[in-house]
Amino acid sequence: GVMLINSLLILPAAASRNVAKNAAGYMRLAVLISLVCSVAGLVLSYYLNTSAGAAVVLLCAAVYFVTLPLRRK
């Protein structure tokens, strides 16, 4: 539970900061990433019969690592 809470606070915000152009976009994108990763993680954990928290965390981490090369300087 603690890992899920921490990852949903930090990873979507870090990922959206990599690609957002302004503060409003930053917040909208962080919420969107959180929602998509949460729902996709729950669906993935259901079909793969794995832990839901771990699936959500792995998806959030994957989104972060995908956006890392797109980082704005």
Side-chain angles (χ1 to χ4, degrees), residues 12-63:
S16 66
R17 186 171 181 149
N18 287 337
V19 294
K21 295 181 182 178
N22 55 30
Y26 170 62
M27 293 202 194
R28 285 187 195 109
L29 192 55
V31 170
L32 181 66
I33 290 170
S34 296
L35 287 173
V36 169
C37 287
S38 297
V39 172
L42 289 174
V43 170
L44 190 66
S45 71
Y46 176 77
Y47 286 110
L48 296 178
N49 198 22
T50 61
S51 169
V56 172
V57 170
L58 286 174
L59 287 176
C60 284
V63 170

